[in-house]
Amino acid sequence: MAAASVEAMEWSAGRGGGTGTGSGEGQSEAVTLTESREGQSEARAKVKDTRGILQQNRQFLDFFWDIARPEQDVRLKAIGGLVEYLRSPDRKDDELRYAIKRLVEGLAATRETARPGFSLALAQLLQYNEEISLQTVLEQIIKKHDVQTAKKKLIRNAAFGNFFGVMALSQSGRLIKEPTILLRSVQLLQSLTQFKDHLRDLPWKAIVDILSETPEAVFSQILFRALKTDMSSAFNTPEQLHLLLVALQHFPNVLKPQKLKSLLGSTTIVTSENVPKLIEVLKLAAKAVKKDQTLSPLALDLLRVSLREGTFEMFWKELVENGLLKDQSGPSSYLCFRLFGSMLPLLTLPQLKLVLTGEVMRHYGDHVVSAQLPDRFRFAPEMEKYVDSFLESTQDPEKQFMVITRFTCLTNQGYPVIPSYWKVVRHLQPSVLLNYVDWLKNMFISPDLDACIDFSTKRQKENKERAGLVQRSMMRLRLWIVARLTSIAENGQVKKEEDLVMDITRFVFFHAFFIAEHHTPDIPETEATLSVLLDQGTQQTIGQSFFGLLNHLNSMPLLGDSTESAGRSEKRTVGVTADGSLWIYCVVRYASALLSHKTSVRVVKPFTQEQSEAWDRMLQSVEDLQKKSQKLEASAFQLLFLLSGIHLFKNGEESLALLSDLHKCLEKSLVKKKKRSKPATDKEEPEWVEVVVEILLSFLSQPSRLMRQVTRTVFVRICPHVTKGALQLILDVFNPESEGDEEGALIVTEESEGAKKKVKAPSDEMEVESDSDESEGDDDDNDDDDDEDDSGSDEEEGEDSAAVDENFRMELMKVLQAGSAVSKEGESSSEDEADDEAMMALDKSISSLFAEHKKRLQAKKDMKAKLKREKTLRRDFKMKVLDLIEVFLAKQPESPLVFDIIEPLIAILEETPDSHSDQQEKDYLRKTADIFRNQLCKAKRYCRDISGMKDDLHKLMEQMVRRACTQPDSSVSLYCFSGALYLFKVLKGNPIEPAAAASTSKEEEKQQEHPKTETGQVDSLGSLDIVQVTAIYQAALTLFMSKRNCSLTGAMFIDLFSRFPVMCGHLLPTAIKYITEGVRPHQQSQACCLVLKALQTQELRQSLSDSMWEGLITEVIKQVKQCLRTVTTVKLAVEQKKVRKCLELTRFLIQTVKQQVKRASKELNVSITNLTPVLQSLGQQEEVSNPLLMDHVYWHVMKLLGFKRPKKEKVKPKVQTPAAAEGALKKKKGFLPETKKRKNWKKKKGPAQENEQVGKENAVGKLGEVSKGPGVVGQRVKKNKRKWKKNRQGGASANPGANRGPPAKKAKTNPADAGQGETVSKQGKVTQENKGKQGE
């Protein structure tokens, strides 16, 4: 009875049924609840304490509801809480019995997350309470979830209940201790295997898990007989075969060959007779795990058995390659691939060789190539995980080398299917990595295509052009090997030494630019000559890969674990070896050694005499720079010399001219150091730093990351020497006027003449990582954006082509008239047809005309595309040059040249992107804005010595403020205003000369009325001309307050007041004036904000005397009073903001006056009482009293004036009379014409019908009569009327005369409800009265 009461209480609480699954599962849950109540009458009778502990302990019942929750954390917490609660000594036996019963019922819950929760809770309970009998629990499970007696709809739940019940017994750890219960549990699981539609293979998995924990003696004596039938039918289903394989692994002494022969007819599993059966079973297993995309445990166990039996070769050849693989279905192929990857750690070296050279590898390679198409499943990432795990786990170097080389040999027409950046090499041991690199180099020198597992796809096989296939395959393999070597050197996760990196670099460099003639011991690369010479295209690609590798070496941190490397790593040194030498210098020394062995090696592009002399001179200059100077500019020249010298092998003529310029620059820099005092004799000759900057700009114009990185490194080192002319060369790149003059230099051309700013189009090479493909990722994105923009241009071209070309029409008319095809005006056409020769001539003329017209259209289209491409390249070049600006601002913020950067950056920002701007242009403007805001305006360091440029800075500030006022966009205006504030900071932060300070102080004493603070102001103003600056900002403030549409904002002036409080006193009179004279309410509210911000600054208060402060407060109060007096409506948001800001200013004024009165000995002559009438009249506005708008601000001000906020009276709802309640029920429904209104049938009834209807209404307790009591209102009338209708409909079918008799008995209610007992008693009285009326 206690359990029944608990379930009734929970069900009434709306939390679900007796199964513990919660509400929301529908009708099936209700049926389950009914069955549980009907079928457990005996169990309920045994439980005592009907309404005691179980009903009162709400916490105990909440455990079961939390166990059924979908959140895993909540379920686990509830299970732990329930177990701890039942283990406590205070728990009752009734609670334990109820918990077991409730958990057993929850095993068949309809929610999937609830069933495992109840199963785990039951397992934990059985584990920690060994006094609970497993037999009793198993009997309850079988009886409660009997699949034989369950209804058809509940068979699935019953099956799950049995399964999770057995799982609970197994997880408790006590099942093995009781063999009888173990046998019954296994038999129960065997009976559940017939419900495969619901449980799939869960019962078999449970049996396998139980077997893995069962002792050998228990299996031999008890379970073997029960499982003998299933094991003898092992070749029928995958589950039965898996069961047999697990038994073989765990109990080899029980399932000996003789017993296995009695079961299967053979002493081993993998035999030639069993292979066809095993193939079919594995196919079924592959299909079963198709959706899970995992390896079937059956396949892995069968592999282990074959390894134990010594039949692995038969298993792999017959069962996998000749069986599953030939099925050519997806599940079978993926089963072979997963089995292949999983078996790698289990095989010996000969077995690995057998597997890695078989058909599965070839089939996998075909899959990798064909899976490149979209919407194809790709197994390559999964295979990479298998190989990565194998290389990480195994310590055998031979196995590692075997696996990595065999995967490399899996090629598609010479090109390996694994990526050149395959990350699994990071787990190779150092010795294996060295052997792998040597193997790759040998394969490059003598490609052995016969050792590769080469294949061709179906499409490649259909192509019958087989000529040159071998040469092409060798070329593809060599390109991949170069990419593989460079990726090993670049991968930071690969453990390698500097010798290995240098060896790879030398190998790539040698084969990119040299050819071995004879063997030389000094050059290891000449030990073996190429079996097939490289063609020109392959050498160019290898050269590009070399420069990409050189780019990485130039930014690579130190390698090795030496103490010297550890010390250098603290300085974050990159691009150098452990001994401090540059990587590029090591490459140059190696190139010099190669050039010295002219008889052994030959340069692909032999040097001319000038190039050889330039090379030798470059080496000598680098050595001299290393010996003489260790300064930054010396290292910059050294890096430039090395880079230009190494480019002699790629672009000889350009590098030759570049080296000549560098030598001149170096000579000039050395001369300048020696003769600093002497003026320059030749003013027209540029400075050395200007030439270097031009060289750097030419580097940036090339699509190379190496060039861009070297440019940045060199510019960082020469920043202290940058002159105004050198900086102007950089700024001219952003000048739109100079862009037209340099148009010939910035064009897309393939010529390599002496233009310094020529931009090359990025070349489209193969999938090899190369330096020319480094057009920085931005170029690719920009190309995509250009493609998007081309769609709009194509539409415009379509419109242009749709228009009739008058010139083309005239030419066509001339051709037709010349062929007599068109008659002259006023003449009739001839009826005779033209002869064939005339028609042929006419056709030729027309075709040639159309061909020329088509060529003109194509030329116009090409020119438009070329212009668009040039524009893209120019913008990309400008984005690269912005890096130099950023570097200069970061390294030289105290240089006076910084001021020359302000206007060019503002000019760039004025190019506001529109809706037609592409992403590249937006990125360009965003980058410029970031540099201007963060690197310039927010810089903590700035120029200190501005004594000679004070006037120029004031003029620049005035230009910035005027520019801010005239901008159409407020965001650009903000940047201009920020630039002016930066100049303000520079001028204010520098002290001026004493004489200038004296003259400035005299001028200010004449112009200002308060001489007390002049000395302090002059000392803190530095080089700032306060009069001129005040005029500048006062004009801007006046414009902002008097112009309706202005790009300036109030936040700009608030920022001015916050950063430079000295301006508050000078601009405050103007701001006070515009509290009332602002052109719009927005300007008036901003004026209030400015005045409030100025009055809150301590500097302003300290600079004014008491009398001046008193006059200022009086003036502000006067303006505020006048502003509030003009307020008539507060409906618009702008008006509300104005009133709110005005009230905030008023609050500050009142607080200031009161604080001043408290501090001073005498009261101030400032009256705040005159604000009271204005504020009271303002409070009459409806919007002001709205709490969501400004009610709190208004009453805060009134509280300061001594007024209290009136309390709002709570209006009680009026008690309605019966007539009013009845009228409220009869609402007028819409406005309908009289012809459409429904007739009221009550008005047409006779007296008898009316009396009968009144009797019916009163018989059910008419609400109008009941509501005569004082505690019943109109809301209860509607509620009782709905109850009456529901009871009337429910009892109509059972008792037709119930509407005339007394009402049906209501459900038992809580008498504590307000007024309900009184209502019920009154309804009873009314019922008796209605009976009397009906009798009459």
Side-chain angles (χ1 to χ4, degrees):
M1 296 299 293
S5 62
V6 170
E7 289 177 353
M9 180 180 66
E10 293 176 357
W11 183 263
S12 62
R15 305 190 69 172
T19 58
T21 57
S23 59
E25 293 296 332
Q27 185 178 2
S28 60
E29 186 180 24
V31 174
T32 307
L33 174 64
T34 306
E35 287 188 0
S36 64
R37 291 178 175 178
E38 294 176 355
Q40 298 295 332
S41 58
E42 298 180 1
R44 292 173 182 168
K46 296 178 183 178
V47 183
K48 299 180 181 180
D49 192 11
T50 355
R51 304 178 63 83
I53 300 172
L54 295 177
Q55 189 172 3
Q56 294 176 3
N57 195 347
R58 184 74 255 178
Q59 179 185 3
F60 174 67
L61 298 177
D62 287 340
F63 288 139
F64 301 100
W65 292 110
D66 292 340
I67 291 174
R69 295 281 293 276
E71 297 83 5
Q72 183 179 3
D73 297 338
V74 178
R75 294 201 306 268
L76 295 177
K77 184 178 180 181
I79 292 171
L82 177 63
V83 173
E84 291 295 330
Y85 180 84
L86 293 176
R87 290 181 64 186
S88 62
D90 298 337
R91 57 99 175 163
K92 305 297 182 181
D93 294 338
D94 291 343
E95 293 176 336
L96 180 61
R97 286 193 292 268
Y98 175 76
I100 296 174
K101 171 185 170 297
R102 184 68 180 273
L103 294 177
V104 170
E105 290 176 351
L107 296 173
T110 55
R111 282 189 290 181
E112 296 181 359
T113 56
R115 294 192 292 259
F118 283 104
S119 177
L120 180 59
L122 182 59
Q124 295 292 319
L125 185 61
L126 295 176
Q127 181 179 0
Y128 293 108
N129 295 273
E130 295 188 358
E131 66 272 9
I132 304 175
S133 174
L134 294 184
Q135 183 176 0
T136 304
V137 176
L138 181 60
E139 289 177 354
Q140 289 185 15
I141 293 171
I142 296 174
K143 186 175 181 180
K144 176 62 182 176
H145 309 296
D146 190 359
V147 293
Q148 302 297 332
T149 60
K151 294 183 179 180
K152 186 175 181 181
K153 293 183 178 180
L154 301 178
I155 289 179
R156 183 177 185 272
N157 295 341
F160 272 109
N162 285 281
F163 170 74
F164 281 105
V166 176
M167 291 301 298
L169 298 179
S170 176
Q171 293 173 358
S172 66
R174 298 172 51 191
L175 191 60
I176 303 174
K177 301 177 183 179
E178 301 184 19
T180 307
I181 307 302
L182 175 62
L183 178 60
R184 291 187 61 185
S185 301
V186 172
Q187 291 174 349
L188 180 58
L189 290 174
Q190 286 178 319
S191 65
L192 293 178
T193 56
Q194 58 182 329
F195 302 101
K196 194 171 183 179
D197 295 340
H198 303 309
L199 301 179
R200 298 178 64 184
D201 57 344
L202 291 178
W204 292 107
K205 290 182 178 180
I207 295 175
V208 169
D209 293 339
I210 293 175
L211 280 183
S212 61
E213 300 176 357
T214 303
E216 187 173 339
V218 176
F219 173 77
S220 176
Q221 298 173 6
I222 298 176
L223 293 184
F224 178 73
R225 296 180 182 178
L227 300 175
K228 183 177 181 180
T229 305
D230 293 326
M231 289 189 295
S232 61
S233 306
F235 296 130
N236 294 341
T237 61
E239 293 82 7
Q240 292 173 334
L241 179 59
H242 190 210
L243 179 64
L244 174 62
L245 297 179
V246 172
L248 279 173
Q249 293 180 14
H250 289 85
F251 315 110
N253 297 327
V254 178
L255 295 176
K256 295 182 178 180
Q258 294 79 8
K259 189 169 292 187
L260 190 62
K261 186 175 182 181
S262 63
L263 291 175
L264 302 178
S266 60
T267 57
T268 57
I269 300 295
V270 182
T271 61
S272 57
E273 295 81 7
N274 296 337
V275 164
K277 302 176 184 178
L278 292 175
I279 291 174
E280 297 300 326
V281 174
L282 286 178
K283 287 180 181 179
L284 295 176
K287 294 179 181 178
V289 295
K290 178 181 178 181
K291 294 183 179 179
D292 299 334
Q293 295 183 2
T294 56
L295 175 63
S296 175
L298 169 63
L300 197 57
D301 289 338
L302 188 59
L303 168 67
R304 292 193 178 98
V305 170
S306 66
L307 292 173
R308 189 183 302 111
E309 294 176 350
T311 57
F312 172 74
E313 186 174 354
M314 180 186 294
F315 168 79
W316 188 253
K317 287 289 185 181
E318 302 297 331
L319 188 59
V320 178
E321 292 184 349
N322 298 331
L324 290 175
L325 201 60
K326 291 187 177 180
D327 186 32
Q328 295 184 355
S329 63
S332 299
S333 299
Y334 297 138
L335 176 64
C336 295
F337 297 157
R338 292 188 176 97
L339 183 62
F340 169 77
S342 302
M343 71 169 61
L344 293 178
L346 307 176
L347 304 181
T348 61
L349 195 62
Q351 291 171 348
L352 275 175
K353 186 176 181 180
L354 172 66
V355 170
L356 293 171
T357 57
E359 290 297 324
V360 175
M361 281 284 286
R362 192 186 305 274
H363 195 68
Y364 168 71
D366 192 9
H367 160 76
V368 172
V369 176
S370 60
Q372 300 300 326
L373 299 175
D375 301 332
R376 294 286 185 90
F377 173 72
R378 301 182 180 181
F379 190 79
E382 193 171 344
M383 181 62 74
E384 183 178 352
K385 292 180 181 178
Y386 283 123
V387 179
D388 189 82
S389 176
F390 165 73
L391 295 177
E392 185 179 8
S393 60
T394 186
Q395 299 297 326
D396 190 350
E398 294 183 359
K399 288 185 178 181
Q400 284 190 342
F401 183 74
M402 172 71 72
V403 170
I404 195 66
T405 54
R406 286 294 92 196
F407 269 97
T408 305
C409 289
L410 182 59
T411 59
N412 170 233
Q413 293 188 353
Y415 198 86
V417 298
I418 62 173
S420 59
Y421 51 87
W422 218 25
K423 298 179 181 179
V424 299
V425 294
R426 68 180 184 271
H427 298 302
L428 294 179
Q429 298 181 12
S431 59
V432 179
L433 183 62
L434 291 175
N435 295 335
Y436 181 55
V437 170
D438 293 338
W439 181 86
L440 288 173
K441 293 194 294 186
N442 294 331
M443 186 66 74
F444 178 89
I445 294 171
S446 300
D448 189 4
L449 297 179
D450 296 334
C452 298
I453 308 175
D454 197 79
F455 64 92
S456 300
T457 60
K458 294 181 180 180
R459 183 174 297 179
Q460 291 171 346
K461 292 177 181 178
E462 293 175 357
N463 188 7
K464 298 181 180 180
E465 297 180 1
R466 311 291 293 180
L469 180 61
V470 177
Q471 300 293 334
R472 184 171 178 271
S473 299
M474 294 176 63
M475 182 267 294
R476 286 161 57 90
L477 178 60
R478 282 173 167 173
L479 291 179
W480 186 93
I481 290 174
V482 171
R484 172 78 277 187
L485 290 173
T486 55
S487 66
I488 290 175
E490 294 174 0
N491 192 350
Q493 297 180 349
V494 178
K495 298 178 181 179
K496 53 187 178 292
E497 298 294 335
E498 290 183 355
D499 295 338
L500 178 61
V501 176
M502 192 61 202
D503 184 49
I504 293 175
T505 306
R506 292 171 55 165
F507 181 83
V508 176
F509 175 75
F510 180 85
H511 291 286
F513 304 109
F514 291 88
I515 298 175
E517 297 287 347
H518 303 287
H519 172 62
T520 303
D522 299 337
I523 303 174
E525 285 75 20
T526 60
E527 293 180 359
T529 58
L530 298 176
S531 60
V532 178
L533 295 179
L534 301 174
D535 56 356
Q536 185 177 1
T538 305
Q539 284 184 334
Q540 290 179 357
T541 307
I542 296 175
Q544 294 165 359
S545 299
F546 164 74
F547 283 106
L549 177 59
L550 191 61
N551 173 45
H552 175 76
L553 295 178
N554 197 39
S555 60
M556 186 175 66
L558 290 171
L559 299 176
D561 300 327
S562 62
T563 56
E564 185 180 0
S565 300
R568 289 180 179 272
S569 61
E570 297 177 357
K571 300 179 182 180
R572 303 179 63 86
T573 305
V574 294
V576 297
T577 59
D579 58 355
S581 301
L582 292 172
W583 279 103
I584 189 173
Y585 182 62
C586 298
V587 176
V588 169
R589 285 188 302 180
Y590 174 68
S592 179
L594 291 177
L595 292 174
S596 62
H597 292 77
K598 297 182 180 180
T599 58
S600 302
V601 296
R602 176 171 55 89
V603 186
V604 177
K605 295 180 179 180
F607 281 3
T608 61
Q609 183 66 24
E610 295 180 358
Q611 292 175 355
S612 299
E613 294 176 357
W615 175 267
D616 297 336
R617 189 181 179 188
M618 179 269 300
L619 290 177
Q620 186 64 36
S621 300
V622 171
E623 292 177 0
D624 295 341
L625 287 172
Q626 289 179 347
K627 294 178 182 179
K628 295 180 179 179
S629 177
Q630 296 294 332
K631 295 184 178 180
L632 290 178
E633 61 268 21
S635 62
F637 275 109
Q638 182 181 352
L639 187 58
L640 286 176
F641 274 120
L642 293 173
L643 182 64
S644 303
I646 207 68
H647 271 78
L648 280 172
F649 295 96
K650 184 178 181 181
N651 300 319
E653 297 298 332
E654 291 184 4
S655 300
L656 188 63
L658 194 60
L659 285 172
S660 177
D661 294 340
L662 286 175
H663 285 296
K664 293 179 181 179
C665 293
L666 181 59
E667 293 175 358
K668 289 182 180 180
S669 65
L670 296 177
V671 170
K672 288 293 182 182
K673 292 180 182 178
K674 296 178 181 179
K675 301 178 181 180
R676 292 181 182 273
S677 60
K678 293 183 180 181
T681 57
D682 189 5
K683 297 183 179 180
E684 297 181 356
E685 189 175 358
E687 297 285 342
W688 67 269
V689 69
E690 298 179 12
V691 180
V692 173
V693 168
E694 287 186 357
I695 294 174
L696 297 181
L697 291 177
S698 67
F699 283 174
L700 289 179
S701 66
Q702 301 181 20
S704 172
R705 289 183 183 177
L706 175 61
M707 293 293 190
R708 185 173 184 178
Q709 184 182 11
V710 170
T711 300
R712 186 182 182 92
T713 305
V714 171
F715 190 75
V716 168
R717 297 175 182 179
I718 67 170
C719 266
H721 306 280
V722 172
T723 61
K724 188 169 184 177
L727 182 62
Q728 191 61 39
L729 289 174
I730 299 175
L731 296 177
D732 286 343
V733 176
F734 310 105
N735 189 2
E737 298 178 358
S738 62
E739 187 174 321
D741 301 335
E742 299 178 0
E743 186 176 0
L746 287 172
I747 59 175
V748 183
T749 176
E750 296 179 358
E751 298 177 358
S752 58
E753 298 178 356
K756 298 291 184 183
K757 297 183 180 181
K758 180 186 63 177
V759 180
K760 293 183 180 181
S763 58
D764 298 331
E765 295 293 341
M766 296 182 59
E767 314 149 272
V768 185
E769 294 85 349
S770 62
D771 182 57
S772 78
D773 288 337
E774 309 160 30
S775 37
E776 293 153 77
D778 300 337
D779 297 343
D780 300 335
D781 300 337
N782 300 333
D783 295 342
D784 298 338
D785 298 330
D786 295 339
D787 295 339
E788 296 176 1
D789 296 337
D790 290 343
S791 59
S793 62
D794 293 341
E795 295 177 0
E796 296 175 359
E797 291 176 3
E799 295 176 358
D800 297 340
S801 61
V804 180
D805 190 350
E806 295 296 334
N807 296 328
F808 176 69
R809 175 184 289 183
M810 295 299 296
E811 292 178 0
L812 183 59
M813 292 295 294
K814 290 178 181 179
V815 171
L816 293 176
Q817 289 177 0
S820 301
V822 179
S823 61
K824 297 181 180 180
E825 295 182 1
E827 296 181 0
S828 59
S829 59
S830 175
E831 296 179 357
D832 298 334
E833 297 181 357
D835 54 353
D836 295 340
E837 295 180 359
M839 292 300 296
M840 291 296 292
L842 181 62
D843 290 341
K844 290 181 180 180
S845 302
I846 294 176
S847 61
S848 62
L849 179 63
F850 274 97
E852 293 177 0
H853 182 63
K854 186 177 181 180
K855 289 180 180 179
R856 285 196 296 268
L857 292 179
Q858 185 64 32
K860 186 184 297 184
K861 185 176 181 181
D862 294 342
M863 180 57 67
K864 193 171 184 178
K866 183 180 179 181
L867 293 176
K868 183 180 289 294
R869 181 64 179 170
E870 289 179 5
K871 183 180 179 181
T872 302
L873 292 173
R874 284 196 187 94
R875 193 179 297 120
D876 181 68
F877 176 66
K878 291 178 181 179
M879 291 182 68
K880 296 176 183 178
V881 177
L882 278 177
D883 294 340
L884 302 182
I885 299 293
E886 184 177 8
V887 168
F888 185 79
L889 291 175
K891 298 297 181 180
Q892 298 293 321
E894 298 179 358
S895 173
L897 299 177
V898 172
F899 305 125
D900 297 335
I901 303 177
I902 296 177
E903 287 190 297
L905 292 183
I906 291 295
I908 298 174
L909 293 174
E910 287 177 345
E911 302 175 5
T912 307
D914 52 10
S915 58
H916 301 289
S917 301
D918 56 1
Q919 186 63 34
Q920 187 197 33
E921 185 176 358
K922 294 178 181 178
D923 294 340
Y924 173 56
L925 295 176
R926 189 180 297 111
K927 184 176 182 179
T928 307
D930 180 70
I931 293 174
F932 184 82
R933 179 176 59 251
N934 299 326
Q935 300 295 335
L936 181 65
C937 296
K938 294 184 179 181
K940 295 182 180 180
R941 296 186 301 159
Y942 49 87
C943 183
R944 300 290 181 178
D945 185 12
I946 57 172
S947 57
M949 57 180 67
K950 182 177 65 173
D951 297 336
D952 296 335
L953 292 182
H954 282 89
K955 292 180 181 179
L956 183 59
M957 180 191 293
E958 184 176 3
Q959 292 178 6
M960 288 293 103
V961 175
R962 288 181 180 178
R963 216 162 180 173
C965 297
T966 57
Q967 293 295 331
D969 190 359
S970 60
S971 60
V972 182
S973 177
L974 176 61
Y975 289 113
C976 298
F977 204 86
S978 301
L981 294 182
Y982 169 76
L983 295 174
F984 195 112
K985 177 177 68 174
V986 173
L987 289 169
K988 182 178 179 298
N990 290 274
I992 60 177
E993 298 177 358
S999 60
T1000 306
S1001 61
K1002 290 180 180 180
E1003 293 177 0
E1004 292 180 355
E1005 287 177 1
K1006 293 179 181 180
Q1007 295 179 2
Q1008 300 182 4
E1009 298 179 356
H1010 36 85
K1012 293 183 180 180
T1013 60
E1014 295 304 317
T1015 304
Q1017 289 185 2
V1018 170
D1019 293 339
S1020 62
L1021 291 180
S1023 301
L1024 188 71
D1025 187 354
I1026 192 63
V1027 178
Q1028 184 178 356
V1029 172
T1030 301
I1032 294 172
Y1033 284 102
Q1034 189 172 9
L1037 182 60
T1038 303
L1039 180 66
F1040 169 62
M1041 292 296 177
S1042 59
K1043 188 176 179 181
R1044 298 183 62 87
N1045 296 322
C1046 184
S1047 58
L1048 299 176
T1049 60
M1052 298 179 185
F1053 293 97
I1054 292 178
D1055 190 20
L1056 174 65
F1057 286 1
S1058 301
R1059 297 176 60 182
F1060 309 108
V1062 68
M1063 293 300 298
C1064 295
H1066 299 280
L1067 297 181
L1068 187 57
T1070 306
I1072 295 174
K1073 180 179 67 172
Y1074 284 105
I1075 293 178
T1076 56
E1077 297 180 7
V1079 67
R1080 290 190 304 176
H1082 172 70
Q1083 275 79 1
Q1084 296 176 8
S1085 64
Q1086 293 300 315
C1088 293
C1089 294
L1090 291 176
V1091 172
L1092 178 61
K1093 182 64 180 177
L1095 294 177
Q1096 289 175 345
T1097 56
Q1098 296 293 332
E1099 290 82 356
L1100 178 65
R1101 180 65 186 90
Q1102 294 173 2
S1103 64
L1104 299 178
S1105 61
D1106 294 340
S1107 59
M1108 297 174 63
W1109 178 255
E1110 180 179 338
L1112 181 62
I1113 296 297
T1114 304
E1115 179 65 21
V1116 175
I1117 291 177
K1118 178 181 178 182
Q1119 290 289 330
V1120 170
K1121 177 181 177 182
Q1122 185 177 355
C1123 179
L1124 291 177
R1125 186 176 298 168
T1126 59
V1127 175
T1128 56
T1129 58
V1130 201
K1131 294 183 178 180
L1132 299 179
V1134 181
E1135 298 172 346
Q1136 295 170 5
K1137 183 179 179 181
K1138 169 189 170 182
V1139 174
R1140 186 164 57 250
K1141 297 300 180 182
C1142 218
L1143 289 174
E1144 292 175 358
L1145 179 58
T1146 305
R1147 178 176 58 185
F1148 175 79
L1149 293 173
I1150 297 174
Q1151 291 175 348
T1152 303
V1153 171
K1154 289 189 174 183
Q1155 292 175 0
Q1156 190 70 21
V1157 170
K1158 291 181 180 179
R1159 294 176 184 175
S1161 58
K1162 58 179 181 179
E1163 295 185 0
L1164 297 177
N1165 295 326
V1166 178
S1167 176
I1168 57 177
T1169 57
N1170 54 0
L1171 291 173
T1172 304
V1174 181
L1175 291 174
Q1176 287 179 342
S1177 62
L1178 181 64
Q1180 302 299 324
Q1181 299 283 344
E1182 182 180 356
E1183 289 78 6
V1184 176
S1185 60
N1186 190 349
L1188 299 177
L1189 298 177
M1190 59 191 72
D1191 179 72
H1192 59 288
V1193 181
Y1194 173 77
W1195 283 109
H1196 196 176
V1197 175
M1198 297 301 292
K1199 184 179 179 181
L1200 294 175
L1201 293 174
F1203 294 89
K1204 292 185 178 181
R1205 185 173 185 173
K1207 296 182 178 180
K1208 296 182 179 180
E1209 297 181 359
K1210 296 183 179 180
V1211 181
K1212 296 182 178 180
K1214 297 181 180 180
V1215 180
Q1216 296 181 355
T1217 60
E1222 186 175 359
L1225 293 176
K1226 299 178 182 179
K1227 293 182 179 180
K1228 187 176 182 181
K1229 298 183 178 179
F1231 301 94
L1232 296 175
E1234 294 295 334
T1235 56
K1236 297 294 185 180
K1237 289 183 179 180
R1238 187 171 56 184
K1239 304 298 182 180
N1240 192 348
W1241 58 274
K1242 291 184 178 181
K1243 294 182 180 180
K1244 295 183 179 181
K1245 292 183 180 180
Q1249 292 177 341
E1250 290 182 3
N1251 293 334
E1252 183 180 358
Q1253 181 65 22
V1254 170
K1256 290 180 181 179
E1257 293 179 353
N1258 291 335
V1260 295
K1262 187 175 180 181
L1263 302 178
E1265 298 293 335
V1266 175
S1267 62
K1268 290 181 180 180
V1272 182
V1273 294
Q1275 287 79 0
R1276 189 173 297 280
V1277 174
K1278 295 183 180 180
K1279 184 176 180 181
N1280 292 337
K1281 186 174 181 180
R1282 288 194 296 268
K1283 289 184 178 180
W1284 162 67
K1285 288 184 178 180
K1286 185 175 181 182
N1287 294 333
R1288 183 180 181 185
Q1289 293 174 359
S1293 59
N1295 190 3
N1299 55 353
R1300 295 186 180 182
K1305 186 177 181 181
K1306 290 180 174 285
K1308 188 174 181 181
T1309 56
N1310 190 358
D1313 295 338
Q1316 190 167 347
E1318 184 181 358
T1319 305
V1320 172
S1321 62
K1322 289 186 178 182
Q1323 286 179 350
K1325 294 181 181 180
V1326 173
T1327 304
Q1328 297 296 333
E1329 295 176 1
N1330 291 337
K1331 285 184 179 180
K1333 290 183 180 181
Q1334 289 178 358
E1336 294 177 359

